[in-house]
Amino acid sequence: MTYRHTTDFLLYDWLAVESLRSRPRFADHSRETFDSVLDTCEKIAREKFAPFNRAADVEEPWFDGEKVHLPASSHAAARAYAESGMLAAAQDYEVGGMQLPCVVEMAANSFYSKAGIGIGGGGMLTSANANLLMVHGTPLQKEVFARNEFAGRFFGTMCLSEPQAGSSLSDVATRATPDGDAFESDPLGRRYRLRGNKMWISNGEHEVSENIIHLVLAKIPGPDGKLMPGTKGISLFIVPKKLVDTDGRLTGERNDVALAGLNHKLGYRGIPNTLLNFGEGKFEPRGSAGAIGYLVGKPGEGLRNMFHMMNEARIAVGLGAATLGYAGYEASLDYARNRPQGRPIGPSGKDATLPPIPIIRHADVKRMLLAQKSYCEGAIALEFYCARLVDELHTGAPEASAQAGALLEVLTPIAKSWPSEWCLEANSLAIQVLGGYGYTRDFPVEQYWRDNRLNMIHEGTHGIQALDLLGRKVVQDGGAGLKLLASRIDETIRRAGHVQGLAEHGSALAAALQKLGSATKAAWSTGEPEEALANATPYLQAFGHTVIAWMWLELALAAQRAVEMGTVASDLCNGQLAAARYFFRYELPKIDAWLAVVSTRDATCREMNDAWF
């Protein structure tokens, strides 16, 4: 079965996305239009991304002192992606969009991340940047910046981290001050001058598009003219690389945004990663020092506005991690089917005159392949489910919309973090299946691992997601989001209890859910955050495994139903059921060890003295 078969099963046989056609926003669509989008993206990914994935890895971006150079294939892939219309896929027809459901958009984009994530990452950033502006920007900002990003004329970035602050946004030091008489008079928005440095900016400098639109977090000064402590005063600004007029035309003026250097990465090399200086004086647009920036939304609400982009990006990061894992799974599966080595265990296996068998016939190789399948397809299911919740949030009835929002609050840390950890492990297993060959650059699996290693770091590190989950998401509003998630899981367990072969899995999931709830209460029983959060990462792992087990029980039910109706190939359904069995028997039992240290608020890590290291 191919990735496309799996995608179709998840969309149509499990999530029933065709039912979205009953909603006015999606009324023009049908399975045929959805399939057409999937077909187009699959074709472009196959022809413009996959063949050049290795070239983009080997031919790293380089700076000649004036501009950043990328392989020609990166330029061609970016053009093909923009011409496909996917930059604006979920947007209104009026702005050049297709009004696609988010779940179909993400499924279509997954072909690109699977084929060449290091080439296509700029498209995800650009769409997320423009989507944020469509929500929080002024009408003219939407017209001048967002619409040109959707059209592919401009590309976008997000500029949060700084060299001295990393993920600690309260320590942001970039400052923005009102631009004199132009502060209130510029039609593009309240105009500020920005000075500071931003680190780890993907696609921060290139020549792929006419312009680059940076969304930058910076602090505005308080009444005393000084930067306020913590997150107070953090605001969001549009800072274009090249200045534009109110019609979106380039004015010929260069903004004071300068490349300070490229970061040379382990993987994900198809797009540059940069250190940018704002307002260092290399360029002085309109006769004054400082980079020109236009306020987005209200002063002091930069973090809230930026997280509109971050939450979308986190689901996309999880899906990218899952599809990279799946690419490694496909490669190792193909290798295992074609690599002869060893003989069967048993009397005949001692006969050296018999030909060797394909390694896929060895039980331990099947174990590694099943683990990859269970990690990657379970993760993809979770990402599609979250994307479907986004559709419910925006187009569902009021109660359903509110519930979708509450579920997304709890699930987004898992959607970002779980695939980033376990689909990376899938890539490691793919290398193991190939043995020595997997460790060489003759096969793609080592690149998949290197590319995927970034996903545990960017858009909020693993530890930050863990702190967010246990420290905020599961306890906010009296634990309402966690209770809602538990009720959804209980409903799946109830349905599985009536299906032969799945009731056992339902019972295991019920026990896991009970242990998770007990551990959550035990972690916070003293009310001391330092004690509760010391083992947040094991909690995240256990929570994620429980959620993926839920996904697999859902998929098993869908597969069982499809078998009975004869609507899906039996091999695909049997594969789903086997992967579900694997996850419940080999993976879900791991949560006991993780939750043990959470429940006891184990102090081993918290009390470790730095001198003892």
Side-chain angles (χ1 to χ4, degrees):
M1 295 293 107
T2 66
Y3 177 68
R4 178 58 185 276
H5 290 129
T6 299
T7 299
D8 287 347
F9 172 76
L10 295 177
L11 291 177
Y12 299 122
D13 296 283
W14 176 44
L15 293 174
V17 297
E18 287 180 275
S19 65
L20 290 171
R21 295 169 51 206
S22 64
R23 301 181 181 184
R25 181 169 183 79
F26 310 125
D28 292 340
H29 288 295
S30 64
R31 175 156 184 171
E32 287 70 28
T33 62
F34 293 158
D35 281 344
S36 177
V37 172
L38 296 171
D39 291 342
T40 298
C41 292
E42 186 177 22
K43 183 175 186 291
I44 294 173
R46 182 175 63 249
E47 295 177 357
K48 297 292 185 180
F49 283 68
F52 308 106
N53 193 40
R54 176 62 84 183
D57 180 62
V58 175
E59 301 174 40
E60 281 195 79
W62 62 280
F63 182 50
D64 67 3
E66 294 294 328
K67 63 181 181 179
V68 171
H69 295 265
L70 300 175
S73 56
S74 293
H75 289 258
R79 284 195 301 271
Y81 182 79
E83 290 168 2
S84 74
M86 288 303 294
L87 286 168
Q91 288 296 319
D92 295 346
Y93 295 135
E94 289 74 17
V95 296
M98 305 183 204
Q99 293 188 191
L100 279 180
C102 179
V103 64
V104 176
E105 176 197 27
M106 285 205 165
N109 278 327
S110 72
F111 290 103
Y112 296 111
S113 56
K114 177 174 169 288
I117 199 165
I119 303 173
M124 178 200 79
L125 286 168
T126 299
S127 291
N129 178 309
N131 290 345
L132 181 150
L133 292 177
M134 292 302 292
V135 175
H136 300 291
T138 67
L140 192 57
Q141 288 172 350
K142 296 175 187 179
E143 186 69 24
V144 171
F145 299 111
R147 289 196 67 159
N148 280 302
E149 289 183 271
F150 288 139
R153 277 190 65 212
F154 303 164
F155 268 29
T157 73
M158 55 198 303
C159 301
L160 291 80
S161 298
E162 297 182 1
Q164 84 292 342
S167 298
S168 181
L169 297 180
S170 63
D171 295 319
V172 162
T174 298
R175 63 182 294 152
T177 55
D179 190 14
D181 294 338
F183 175 59
E184 294 283 5
S185 62
D186 198 310
L188 288 173
R190 287 187 173 181
R191 201 165 96 191
Y192 287 74
R193 294 284 180 158
L194 277 73
R195 296 169 181 83
N197 315 100
K198 292 294 181 177
M199 186 67 156
W200 313 118
I201 309 307
S202 293
N203 242 22
E205 179 60 38
H206 58 76
E207 301 294 324
V208 172
S209 58
E210 290 182 44
N211 204 356
I212 303 173
I213 309 304
H214 302 291
L215 285 180
V216 183
L217 285 181
K219 285 186 177 181
I220 58 175
D224 60 357
K226 297 180 181 179
L227 296 185
M228 292 179 279
T231 60
K232 294 178 180 178
I234 293 182
S235 305
L236 182 63
F237 300 89
I238 298 167
V239 184
K241 172 184 173 181
K242 300 173 183 178
L243 298 180
V244 301
D245 63 20
T246 54
D247 292 318
R249 293 180 299 229
L250 304 185
T251 65
E253 291 181 275
R254 175 68 191 264
N255 206 355
D256 197 2
V257 182
L259 177 70
L262 296 177
N263 296 308
H264 300 285
K265 299 177 288 181
L266 174 71
Y268 220 115
R269 294 171 175 168
I271 60 174
N273 188 273
T274 63
L275 169 61
L276 299 177
N277 292 340
F278 293 83
E280 68 170 2
K282 184 173 183 179
F283 310 98
E284 291 193 355
R286 302 184 184 172
S288 182
I292 290 176
Y294 305 102
L295 181 68
V296 178
K298 296 179 180 179
E301 294 188 357
L303 282 180
R304 185 177 69 83
N305 294 343
M306 180 63 90
F307 273 99
H308 179 277
M309 182 177 179
M310 287 287 287
N311 287 332
E312 283 189 23
R314 284 171 174 169
I315 296 173
V317 165
L319 184 55
T323 54
L324 272 173
Y326 200 95
Y329 165 63
E330 286 183 328
S332 62
L333 176 61
D334 180 69
Y335 182 88
R337 284 170 168 164
N338 291 286
R339 166 67 169 174
Q341 185 173 309
R343 289 164 181 82
I345 293 176
S348 62
K350 298 179 180 180
D351 186 351
T353 64
L354 293 175
I357 60 174
I359 62 172
I360 199 170
R361 289 177 57 186
H362 297 304
D364 196 56
V365 173
K366 291 180 182 179
R367 175 190 63 83
M368 291 187 284
L369 292 169
L370 262 174
Q372 292 179 67
K373 181 179 176 69
S374 74
Y375 297 156
C376 299
E377 292 185 8
I380 291 165
L382 174 60
E383 305 309 324
F384 284 12
Y385 181 79
C386 287
R388 179 65 182 78
L389 287 176
V390 172
D391 289 318
E392 201 64 36
L393 177 68
H394 294 307
T395 66
E399 182 179 358
S401 174
Q403 290 186 354
L407 287 170
L408 280 167
E409 282 288 304
V410 176
L411 289 175
T412 296
I414 302 300
K416 191 275 174 185
S417 63
W418 196 93
S420 300
E421 179 175 5
W422 294 97
C423 295
L424 179 70
E425 174 61 18
N427 289 131
S428 182
L429 288 170
I431 293 172
Q432 191 70 20
V433 169
L434 270 69
Y437 288 110
Y439 198 65
T440 71
R441 303 196 72 182
D442 298 327
F443 289 85
V445 289
E446 59 85 25
Q447 182 187 342
Y448 295 144
W449 187 93
R450 287 187 291 107
D451 286 346
N452 215 349
R453 187 60 186 83
L454 175 64
N455 288 315
M456 285 180 71
I457 300 170
H458 70 159
E459 310 305 342
T461 65
H462 218 53
I464 286 173
Q465 300 299 328
L467 292 172
D468 182 42
L469 180 67
L470 181 55
R472 197 165 71 87
K473 296 297 178 63
V474 299
V475 295
Q476 65 185 9
D477 298 326
L482 181 58
K483 291 173 185 174
L484 178 60
L485 176 64
S487 71
R488 294 288 177 96
I489 296 174
D490 282 336
E491 171 58 22
T492 304
I493 293 169
R494 184 193 63 76
R495 288 188 285 121
H498 302 291
V499 180
Q500 186 175 4
L502 300 186
E504 169 195 344
H505 299 337
S507 297
L509 181 55
L513 186 61
Q514 188 276 327
K515 293 172 186 175
L516 186 67
S518 296
T520 306
K521 293 177 183 177
W524 284 104
S525 61
T526 64
E528 294 292 337
E530 188 179 13
E531 293 183 10
L533 300 178
N535 296 293
T537 294
Y539 180 83
L540 179 80
Q541 292 170 312
F543 199 112
H545 261 51
T546 303
V547 168
I548 297 299
W550 173 41
M551 292 291 100
W552 273 116
L553 190 56
E554 280 280 325
L555 298 184
L557 284 164
Q560 195 83 3
R561 184 169 60 250
V563 167
E564 294 168 359
M565 298 176 64
T567 56
V568 178
S570 60
D571 283 345
L572 188 150
C573 294
N574 287 331
Q576 295 286 305
L577 292 167
R581 283 196 301 276
Y582 175 88
F583 198 87
F584 273 95
R585 294 175 183 177
Y586 286 74
E587 293 295 329
L588 189 58
K590 293 177 181 178
I591 73 167
D592 289 347
W594 292 324
L595 292 179
V597 294
V598 175
S599 296
T600 59
R601 300 175 302 286
D602 189 277
T604 302
C605 299
R606 179 166 53 88
E607 294 179 352
M608 179 65 181
N609 190 303
D610 62 354
W612 302 343
F613 286 106

